[in-house]
Amino acid sequence: MKEVVLGLLGLGNIGGGVWDLIREFGGEVSKRTGVKLVVKKALVLDKKIHRGKEVPDEVLTTEKNDILEDPEIDIVCEFLGGEQPAASMMLRALENGKSVVTANKMALSLHFDELREMAKKTGAGLYYEASVGGAIPIINAIQTPLIANHIEQMMGIVNGTTNYILTRMAAEGAEYEIVLKDAQRLGLAEPNPTADVEGYDAAYKLSILGSLAFHSRVLVENVYREGITKVNSEDIAFGREMGYVLKLLAIGKDNGDSIEARVHPAFLPADHPLARVDGSLNAVYLYGHSFKDMMLEGRGAGDAPTASAIVGDIVQAAQNAVHPMPVMRKDPLPVADDWYSKYFIRMKAKDAPGVLAEVAGLLAKEEISVSAMTQKDAGPDGKATLIIITHMAPEKAVQRVVKALNPEICKVENVIRVEG
């Protein structure tokens, strides 16, 4: 039996979940793997406050160096969240030759290169399965079972909060603000939901996934990001009429000479596998040249699913004589600032002769063809809702059309990309 000594940086929601899982299921893990997990120290802000977990007093510490500098501790598990001091603590642990396991997508995304280089330098392991998709083994899948593939495309629902909100809006015809308040009341959205609803959380995750899948560093600042706050029930209802379901997607594509990396709401055909992923579930859809289509789906958040992935990483770190390290291109591919997609364009137009001709003329000027068009009856203001779905077109060309339209005649109210 191999005994592995752990130090936990943080004992909040995730750290507490890991503590519980090791305490309750550690014996079974030992039987299955031959690895005995022993938590020596857990860092907390106050020993008197540790989420009510049954943790012996001698395990609790308020001093980070009781973990980072202790030669008996083999693996450091980071659960602090945020960029700092989490990143610097992980870097110090790796510098001291300790393997690191983390679920922290923000610190990992922003400091991926230096953490990876330090791990390579000291021979320590860096494991982060839980940083994307909770219990879904997407990172392991990309790095090991699917390594003999050129992954050309990935699309993911990687934020449970926004998926819950969009699912409720679609099912009930409710508006965004109402569903958000319910999600906050139920604890599915933070009091300040910006990281989720504006796409920051998904962008960090795409930075990690894209870097691994395409073997080319995708910096989070190069990920195009757009949240769900401009989506309303009309968009969802009109999209459904035309056979589409709306999701917040993290999209990565390897175009050969560039990479697409973008987070935004997107319509999917109703029969697409991702379109059926509802509630707070997460899923990642991949396309590779050898395996073709694949989707992994599961719980993307919560203390228990996240703890499952973390303990799995701990066992791998303990068993590996040599720790796996992703290989990146020496010269990263550029991240594209333009891409091809279909577009759902919703506008309010004067119910008058010549309006459609003006819209069609601007689209034709940019060589954008129309796949479908529908018009709703004019309201009391004399303006009708006009919806156009284009064929594949460049993003920048569509934006030029939107800017060129005279708002007195035809005002664009929303533009949503169509994938799948």
Side-chain angles (χ1 to χ4, degrees):
M1 182 72 67
K2 180 179 181 180
E3 184 174 285
V4 177
V5 181
L6 309 175
L8 311 184
L9 296 176
L11 201 61
N13 195 34
I14 295 175
V18 171
W19 170 266
D20 284 344
L21 187 57
I22 292 174
R23 182 169 60 88
E24 297 166 5
F25 204 68
E28 188 63 31
V29 170
S30 298
K31 291 178 185 177
R32 297 177 182 182
T33 65
V35 175
K36 182 181 179 181
L37 305 179
V38 178
V39 178
K40 183 177 182 181
K41 289 291 180 182
L43 181 68
V44 293
L45 288 174
D46 187 335
K47 287 187 178 183
K48 296 178 181 178
I49 304 172
H50 51 84
R51 299 271 180 168
K53 301 296 179 184
E54 297 175 9
V55 184
D57 188 63
E58 63 270 18
V59 170
L60 301 173
T61 180
T62 58
E63 296 295 330
K64 64 180 181 180
N65 288 340
D66 287 348
I67 294 173
L68 301 178
E69 307 299 333
D70 185 342
E72 292 186 355
I73 290 178
D74 305 300
I75 300 174
V76 172
C77 306
E78 183 275 313
F79 311 125
L80 300 172
E83 180 183 4
Q84 294 293 359
S88 59
M89 288 190 190
M90 287 192 284
L91 195 63
R92 181 59 180 167
L94 292 168
E95 187 178 8
N96 285 339
K98 303 179 189 300
S99 290
V100 167
V101 175
T102 183
N104 189 333
K105 67 268 181 181
M106 183 181 190
L108 185 65
S109 174
L110 295 173
H111 297 272
F112 187 73
D113 293 326
E114 57 190 300
L115 291 169
R116 187 168 59 95
E117 287 305 312
M118 183 59 74
K120 287 170 62 177
K121 179 180 177 181
T122 64
L126 178 62
Y127 296 82
Y128 41 91
E129 182 64 71
S131 66
V132 180
I136 304 172
I138 181 63
I139 288 174
N140 181 65
I142 290 172
Q143 293 195 97
T144 307
L146 304 181
I147 196 65
N149 278 271
H150 171 213
I151 296 178
E152 299 174 16
Q153 176 181 334
M154 65 169 63
M155 292 196 296
I157 298 170
V158 295
N159 182 271
T161 299
T162 52
N163 202 42
Y164 170 83
I165 291 171
L166 292 175
T167 299
R168 284 272 312 274
M169 290 177 69
E172 302 168 17
E175 294 298 344
Y176 164 79
E177 293 82 2
I178 294 171
V179 180
L180 173 61
K181 288 179 181 177
D182 278 350
Q184 290 171 319
R185 180 176 53 82
L186 295 169
L188 296 171
E190 298 290 339
N192 180 355
T194 301
D196 294 321
V197 300
E198 293 292 0
Y200 290 98
D201 176 79
Y204 289 127
K205 293 172 180 176
L206 180 58
S207 168
I208 296 166
L209 282 183
S211 296
L212 297 176
F214 306 135
H215 303 281
S216 182
R217 188 73 175 96
V218 178
L219 300 176
V220 70
E221 55 263 34
N222 292 333
V223 175
Y224 175 85
R225 178 191 52 76
E226 187 178 306
I228 66 169
T229 55
K230 295 179 182 178
V231 173
N232 66 30
S233 59
E234 273 192 299
D235 295 317
I236 294 174
F238 291 145
R240 183 169 56 239
E241 286 181 20
M242 304 177 88
Y244 294 107
V245 175
L246 188 66
K247 299 292 183 183
L248 180 74
L249 295 182
I251 299 168
K253 296 180 181 180
D254 183 349
N255 295 326
D257 57 356
S258 67
I259 290 170
E260 291 178 28
R262 43 195 171 97
V263 170
H264 53 68
F267 278 119
L268 290 167
D271 61 354
H272 192 284
L274 282 172
R276 299 191 291 270
V277 179
D278 288 335
S280 59
L281 290 174
N282 281 199
V284 179
Y285 169 88
L286 303 168
Y287 183 87
H289 87 286
S290 182
F291 66 80
K292 303 306 179 185
D293 300 276
M294 178 183 297
M295 191 174 86
L296 288 81
E297 177 183 356
R299 300 289 172 188
D303 54 353
T306 305
S308 171
I310 288 166
V311 173
D313 271 353
I314 292 170
V315 172
Q316 283 197 50
Q319 291 179 325
N320 286 334
V322 177
H323 300 290
M325 193 61 58
V327 176
M328 298 287 151
R329 298 172 188 257
K330 184 178 179 181
D331 298 313
L333 291 173
V335 176
D337 62 357
D338 198 8
W339 54 82
Y340 279 79
S341 177
K342 298 176 184 178
Y343 295 84
F344 166 102
I345 305 172
R346 176 172 61 86
M347 58 189 83
K348 284 286 188 182
K350 276 189 175 181
D351 192 11
V355 173
L356 287 179
E358 179 176 338
V359 174
L362 289 170
L363 289 169
K365 183 180 178 182
E366 294 289 349
E367 300 183 342
I368 299 171
S369 59
V370 174
S371 172
M373 180 184 296
T374 185
Q375 181 175 325
K376 302 298 180 180
D377 291 339
D381 60 356
K383 293 184 178 180
T385 296
L386 178 64
I387 298 161
I388 292 173
I389 294 183
T390 73
H391 284 294
M392 296 290 287
E395 171 82 12
K396 289 184 176 180
V398 171
Q399 295 302 330
R400 284 194 294 269
V401 171
V402 170
K403 290 179 181 178
L405 284 167
N406 181 352
E408 296 297 320
I409 299 173
C410 192
K411 182 180 179 182
V412 173
E413 297 195 322
N414 210 351
V415 177
I416 298 176
R417 296 153 194 89
V418 180
E419 293 287 335

